[in-house]
Amino acid sequence: MNLFQFLAQNFRQVLQLTLEHLWLVGVSTVLAALIGIPLGILIAHRPVLNRPVLGGANIIQTIPSLALFGFLLPVPWLGDRAERLAILALTLYALLPVIRNTFTGIRGVDPAVVESARGMGMTGRQLLWQVELPLAMSVILSGVRVAVVISVGLATIAAAIGAGGLGELIFRGLAMVNNQLILAGAIPAAFLALFADFSLGWLERRLRPQ
Amino acid sequence: MAGAWKTSTWSRSDVAVNLICWADMNRDTRDEPAIEFRDVSYELPSGQRVLSNLNLQVQRGETLVVLGRSGSGKTTTLKLINRLLRPTGGEVRVNGAGTGQRDVIRLRRGIGYVIQEIGLLPHFTVERNIGIVPSIDGWPLDKIRARTQELMQMVGLESQLAPRYPHQLSGGQRQRVGVARALAADPAILLMDEPFGALDPLTRDDLQREFLSLQQRLHKTVVFVTHDLNEALRLASRVALMEAGELITVLSPQEFLRSTDPLAAAYVRAFRAGTGLDTNRGSS
């Protein structure tokens, strides 16, 4: 039985696991953006906070993923459902690229543009929404894109704590020494990553200021 | 009130004199300088002095050109007026009130600002760039549109440029957009920081000429920063010469050319040498 036959036979299961995978990545990316973008804006405007925040996000990044899943397991509400745990861990990992790119993007806006906008009497809020965010948007989005691609890969490990996703096929394949099973998980995951990378890259180019 | 101290036995000429006095008194409040520097100093956080004890008055409707080398403090002087920088000593007054005592957003919206690198928003069209101040000030859309069209005409921009982006324009066109934008909310004061510095000589000449004719119509109070004596002499009502953070002298263009001040004379010499009008060179 080759891979295609296997995929055809188990289509429903592979599809379900793919959707689970997407759910984990999607929710964690949205959370990481909701936390990371405001944090990035904050540290771009308050340079004092820049080191501690980026340092903290960096440290999280150095924790091995399997260990992080393990650490979080005994936490009361989170430990109840493996899915919650996985989303939290993925969110934490996605923070660094989002924060760092938001910071870089906003700091990278031409100082002459910012100064003339302030000189014309824009309030801080107007400056942020009308000048800084639009001009930094493509850089911020490329941070989100990196975060998504990392998350698609990392989310396969979430299966180790029973959070589902394509990792389940991979782990099962490893246990059963069945290459087809491993590939049935790995190939859709790779395609997901490529697809996310491509579509976000397209969006990023669309939003890049001329 | 003005004539309360006068006796009631006025002759006709008394009344006339009194009316002139009254008119003068009315002008008096208007004669107060538009911009005034009182003992203003500015130091960088590192303690380096950029500006020391500047005392300067800019009268309503005049074009004061601040002339000096780079690093002489001229741009700093300009940014102190719209409070992009805060003085570390002394006080800057605009229309009779200290800039520190009022809402900085309102202050800036009442002052047009044109800078060296133009500072047009690259993601806004020409039309939106010109309409920024009215738009952040909450004007209705149709009024903004009408004003934008009027301004484009005023500074010599064709109306089909309205939907273009700044990177699609020539240097001269961008600079016109910058000027139009500064004029948008009809501010009484314009600050211009080497606005024509990066242009080729012919375009610069055009824009200087148009600046003069605009200024004849609009009578704005203009503070114009440049390092180019030719530009200074051409545009200025008065030239303020700065060097190493200090105001050396303030002279009219005619006085400047005859000035015995060593620095002013050095500028004039360099200027003459540059144009080949120096008599020594002509005779050799």
Side-chain angles (χ1 to χ4, degrees):
Chain A
M1 187 164 69
N2 68 26
L3 181 65
F4 291 105
Q5 285 169 325
F6 178 87
L7 283 177
Q9 269 176 20
N10 298 280
F11 178 73
R12 292 191 68 84
Q13 198 199 356
V14 173
L15 186 70
Q16 200 214 323
L17 290 174
T18 307
L19 289 178
E20 275 178 27
H21 207 89
L22 265 177
W23 168 252
L24 292 177
V25 172
V27 173
S28 59
T29 307
V30 169
L31 285 177
L34 286 179
I35 301 165
I37 294 176
L39 261 180
I41 293 169
L42 182 75
I43 63 173
H45 291 156
R46 303 252 183 292
V48 195
L49 298 174
N50 156 11
R51 270 165 187 274
V53 170
L54 281 180
N58 249 321
I59 289 172
I60 294 173
Q61 209 76 3
T62 62
I63 304 173
S65 47
L66 216 46
L68 185 60
F69 285 126
F71 282 141
L72 295 173
L73 213 47
V75 179
W77 181 80
L78 281 174
D80 295 350
R81 287 182 61 185
E83 193 194 35
R84 290 177 192 161
L85 261 181
I87 287 175
L88 176 69
L90 291 175
T91 304
L92 288 174
Y93 281 119
L95 275 178
L96 181 66
V98 175
I99 295 176
R100 187 156 49 197
N101 275 47
T102 307
F103 170 75
T104 315
I106 292 203
R107 291 296 287 266
V109 175
D110 184 352
V113 169
V114 173
E115 177 147 274
S116 81
R118 285 181 58 216
M120 284 183 297
M122 279 200 180
T123 60
R125 184 171 300 195
Q126 287 167 335
L127 186 67
L128 179 68
W129 287 101
Q130 298 186 28
V131 180
E132 291 178 317
L133 279 180
L135 289 176
M137 195 42 80
S138 79
V139 181
I140 295 174
L141 213 64
S142 84
V144 173
R145 180 174 159 203
V146 171
V148 169
V149 174
I150 293 176
S151 296
V152 171
L154 269 178
T156 55
I157 299 174
I161 53 164
L166 290 163
E168 226 161 79
L169 291 173
I170 297 174
F171 277 110
R172 222 187 294 161
L174 283 170
M176 295 161 67
V177 200
N178 180 341
N179 279 344
Q180 266 171 11
L181 216 48
I182 295 177
L183 288 174
I187 289 175
F191 272 111
L192 267 188
L194 283 174
F195 174 73
D197 191 44
F198 178 80
S199 49
L200 286 170
W202 176 81
L203 199 62
E204 190 188 315
R205 277 192 300 280
R206 285 290 306 273
L207 290 173
R208 184 170 302 154
Q210 287 88 0
Chain B
M1 282 296 286
W5 48 273
K6 289 250 175 187
T7 58
S8 54
T9 53
W10 290 353
S11 68
R12 194 165 261 263
S13 64
D14 270 342
V15 173
V17 166
N18 203 46
L19 275 176
I20 291 167
C21 284
W22 183 78
D24 269 344
M25 269 192 57
N26 244 13
R27 268 233 333 268
D28 259 347
T29 48
R30 303 230 64 218
D31 268 355
E32 178 174 77
I35 303 165
E36 189 179 7
F37 288 81
R38 291 187 181 168
D39 261 332
V40 174
S41 301
Y42 182 74
E43 278 172 20
L44 295 176
S46 63
Q48 194 197 333
R49 220 153 217 239
V50 184
L51 213 61
S52 8
N53 305 319
L54 177 66
N55 282 293
L56 178 65
Q57 296 190 339
V58 186
Q59 305 304 330
R60 258 166 240 285
E62 80 167 331
T63 304
L64 181 90
V65 173
V66 183
L67 179 71
R69 303 186 224 215
S70 32
S72 60
K74 50 194 195 318
T75 296
T76 306
T77 304
L78 205 66
K79 287 183 184 170
L80 285 166
I81 298 171
N82 62 4
R83 217 169 167 76
L84 283 174
L85 297 175
R86 289 154 190 238
T88 47
E91 190 186 32
V92 183
R93 297 170 74 83
V94 173
N95 293 327
T99 54
Q101 284 139 30
R102 42 160 106 178
D103 176 16
V104 70
I105 299 295
R106 289 247 63 84
L107 172 80
R108 287 176 184 159
R109 287 185 193 167
I111 300 178
Y113 187 44
V114 190
I115 63 171
Q116 233 160 349
E117 299 94 349
I118 310 166
L120 295 183
L121 302 189
H123 57 304
F124 277 20
T125 59
V126 167
E127 192 174 15
R128 275 190 82 190
N129 260 298
I130 296 177
I132 289 175
V133 180
S135 128
I136 59 180
D137 227 5
W139 291 24
L141 275 177
D142 51 335
K143 218 178 135 197
I144 297 178
R145 172 149 293 190
R147 179 68 179 150
T148 311
Q149 278 163 359
E150 179 191 359
L151 282 162
M152 287 185 71
Q153 208 174 17
M154 195 192 283
V155 301
L157 286 166
E158 291 147 35
S159 58
Q160 69 257 33
L161 294 176
R164 299 256 185 104
Y165 286 90
H167 74 276
Q168 298 168 313
L169 304 178
S170 70
Q173 287 170 333
R174 277 204 284 269
Q175 217 40 273
R176 284 167 208 263
V177 175
V179 173
R181 186 176 68 173
L183 290 171
D186 201 20
I189 298 175
L190 270 185
L191 307 180
M192 306 180 86
D193 191 352
E194 298 196 36
F196 309 143
L199 300 174
D200 64 86
L202 291 179
T203 312
R204 191 184 312 155
D205 177 65
D206 277 349
L207 281 167
Q208 287 172 348
R209 192 165 340 112
E210 282 166 36
F211 170 84
L212 283 172
S213 79
L214 266 181
Q215 178 62 348
Q216 255 170 15
R217 275 160 46 206
L218 302 176
H219 301 292
K220 303 285 182 195
T221 304
V222 182
V223 182
F224 192 110
V225 162
T226 184
H227 58 248
D228 177 0
L229 179 62
N230 177 31
E231 186 164 72
L233 294 177
R234 187 172 185 189
L235 304 182
S237 319
R238 292 187 302 154
V239 179
L241 184 60
M242 292 190 71
E243 175 79 2
E246 294 193 19
L247 179 65
I248 306 296
T249 175
V250 184
L251 299 166
S252 75
Q254 293 78 12
E255 290 165 343
F256 196 97
L257 286 170
R258 294 192 306 263
S259 172
T260 52
D261 178 271
L263 186 66
Y267 264 96
V268 173
R269 249 194 329 275
F271 173 57
R272 294 235 157 98
T275 53
L277 292 173
D278 197 321
T279 44
N280 289 335
R281 263 184 69 191
S283 63
S284 65

